[in-house]
Every structure is written in C-alpha cells, then in structure tokens.
Amino acid sequence: MRTEARLFTGVALFFAVAAAGYGWWSAEPAGTAALAVASLMAALVTFFLRVQHRRRGMRAQDRPDADVIDTAGPLDFFSPHSPWPIVVALGAVLSALGVVYGLWLALLGFGVLGCGVFGMVFQYAGRDDPSS
C-alpha cells in the first residue's frame, strides 16, 4: 500500500497546485472548487492507504525481493450475502426521488440510506471477537 499511497499523494499535490494556480490566474470559483475537491478526494484515498499500510504492514507487492507465490492465499474476509446494499440502494433512490417530489420523501430516503450505511458498516463489527 506504500506505493499506492505515494502515487495518490502526488495526485493530491498536483490537484492542489493546479487549484491554486487556476484560482490565482482565472478568478473563476467553479473550476477552482472542482480542482480543490479533486485534491481533497485524492488526499482522502492517500490517508486511507497510509492507515492500511500502518495497520497491516508491508505487502509482498511492496518488497522488491518478493516472489509471485508470496501473494497467494486468502486476501481478506468478504461478506457472502448481505441485505444492506439493497437497503442503501433503496435509500439512494428515495433520496433522489425526494428531490423531485418533495422534502418529505428526501428525508425518508436519507433515513433509509443512513440505516443501510450503518448496517453495512457494523454488520461484522464483532466478527474477530472470540467472545461473540
């Protein structure tokens, strides 16, 4: 993850410099905001990758002396079946329809979306705990 973090650090810095230069010379707020948001999104990915590298250590892809066989085996735990993506999709649809039909439907959609995201995040929260 170290290589990917360095790559996204460069992307974030490029967009930050481009946003500063564009904002200085053009004085146009929409393009400057778009470039600044692009920089922040790349910085968010950089932060995630650095945290994962700190937690899990070096992968075989990060070592120059690694062989292909070093990457064999299970990668991580992936949910075999979950109802929460359907709930998130329903919440997103209700929120989008709420923009058209009224605030009441958008608020209902945000509630369903929040429940779906909460369920997705905490579905396997105690999976590694031996007492549960």
Side-chain angles (χ1 to χ4, degrees):
M1 304 254 181
R2 184 174 54 189
T3 305
E4 293 92 343
R6 287 180 180 167
L7 176 73
F8 275 99
T9 300
V11 170
L13 290 175
F14 168 76
F15 278 121
V17 169
Y22 187 81
W24 177 264
W25 278 296
S26 74
E28 192 258 326
T32 306
L35 288 169
V37 167
S39 174
L40 291 174
M41 288 190 299
L44 179 67
V45 173
T46 300
F47 174 73
F48 172 76
L49 291 171
R50 288 191 188 278
V51 167
Q52 290 300 315
H53 176 70
R54 204 172 301 130
R55 280 185 186 168
R56 297 180 183 202
M58 289 186 67
R59 298 177 305 163
Q61 291 90 342
D62 294 329
R63 294 191 335 252
D65 62 334
D67 292 327
V68 174
I69 195 67
D70 293 338
T71 61
L75 295 176
D76 207 348
F77 173 77
F78 298 100
S79 177
H81 46 78
S82 174
W84 298 114
I86 297 169
V87 175
V88 169
L90 178 65
V93 167
L94 287 175
S95 298
L97 288 175
V99 172
V100 176
Y101 291 111
L103 181 62
W104 65 273
L105 191 58
L107 293 175
L108 180 69
F110 286 138
V112 172
L113 185 65
C115 288
V117 169
F118 186 82
M120 230 187 212
V121 169
F122 293 108
Q123 182 175 10
Y124 295 105
R127 185 177 66 87
D128 294 332
D129 187 18
S131 64
S132 62

